[in-house]
Amino acid sequence: MKKVFCIGELLIDFVAEKQGNDLSRATHFTKKAGGAPANVACAISKLGGKSIFLGCVGDDPFGQFLLGVLKTEGVDVSMAQLSKTFTTLAFVSLAEDGERDFVFSRGADKELEYDPTLRKSLKGNILHLGAATALLGGSLEKAYGKYLFDGLTKDMFISFDPNFRSDLWKENEEQFIKKCMPFIEKSHLCKFSLEEAQLLSGKDDVNQACDFFHKMGAKIITVTLGKEGTLLSLTDSKKLIPSIEVSPVDTTGAGDAFIGCLLYQISDLGNFDPVFQDCDVLEKMVVMANKAGAITTTNYGAIPSLPTKEQLEK
């Protein structure tokens, strides 16, 4: 089984307790562990995979809490870094349909330093670049680019999820698009939401968006479409893979559960050839990943809601 290295933010989600209220009206919040790469790492570990988290938290009670949560979920946090800067915080409200509203208070996550000693560990494994904050500057952004280079030179399977957050890129979307391009060009697998696919390609039609990304160099593309399922796009074929029906209460972490489940299955192959050579293998993987994402929406909180292997096999 291959190891999956997940790079980016680990943060505190302060979730408004009264579901349906917006943040301006919320008065009580519950502390939860969050951050897209951390969620993905937990999703992989919970399914029985080997995930390693590379990120930075504050050397404070919040940071210790977060690392403790990941350890409990079986994630390797031995390469995580501590900073004197406060741990990054996100304030989250949930609408009645389970959709989210975010406000970020950015802290230690931006201070992740590139560690060249990891290069030997990376060889032949999987690199997941799925941070929401990595392209906002700081040493994290520099490390992100260097790990991409390492992934290319160390024969890694590279996965990219732009994790666009409108609140983080207000009136600066063009910069976000520009910064994403090298990662789309070099990654083997790109996971987008419909909004991200349209924004980054400039195409309203999702099929045209996928064609645009393939021309850039992306080999495998998944576009998650909520209850409609996922569009799986390869250079020579496209197929809409349906999801299961659920009654969502919280969509936080659904996309992370999807890509985490997909990467777990790829890691479990032992080698990456079937992913590129057998469409049926990929389709079956996406079916399972859709199920993982759907199950995650049926409970509150991303990490506690991530499914186990037993749940997926029911």
Side-chain angles (χ1 to χ4, degrees), residues 63-93:
Q64 296 300 330
F65 163 76
L66 291 169
L67 293 177
V69 169
L70 265 61
K71 286 180 185 177
T72 300
E73 296 295 338
V75 177
D76 183 344
V77 296
S78 61
M79 299 173 190
Q81 299 173 12
L82 296 175
S83 168
K84 293 181 180 179
T85 303
F86 67 90
T87 296
T88 298
L89 311 175
F91 295 85
V92 186
S93 68

Side-chain angles (χ1 to χ4, degrees), residues 8 15 46 80 156 174 187-188 201 204 220 249 272:
V15 183
K46 209 163 182 177
M156 300 186 81
E174 288 303 317
S187 295
H188 300 101
S201 68
D204 291 330
I220 304 166
V249 296
F272 306 130

Side-chain angles (χ1 to χ4, degrees), residues 262-276:
L262 190 53
L263 291 175
Y264 160 71
Q265 293 174 89
I266 293 171
S267 73
D268 199 33
L269 290 173
N271 73 84
F272 306 130
D273 291 341
V275 179
F276 299 113

Side-chain angles (χ1 to χ4, degrees), residues 20-90:
N21 286 358
D22 61 35
L23 281 174
S24 66
R25 299 168 63 185
T27 57
H28 295 85
F29 295 84
T30 301
K31 178 185 70 176
K32 295 182 181 295
N39 292 342
V40 173
C42 288
I44 293 164
S45 180
K46 209 163 182 177
L47 291 170
K50 298 177 181 179
S51 61
I52 297 158
F53 175 74
L54 299 178
C56 185
V57 296
D59 189 6
D60 55 35
F62 287 148
Q64 296 300 330
F65 163 76
L66 291 169
L67 293 177
V69 169
L70 265 61
K71 286 180 185 177
T72 300
E73 296 295 338
V75 177
D76 183 344
V77 296
S78 61
M79 299 173 190
Q81 299 173 12
L82 296 175
S83 168
K84 293 181 180 179
T85 303
F86 67 90
T87 296
T88 298
L89 311 175

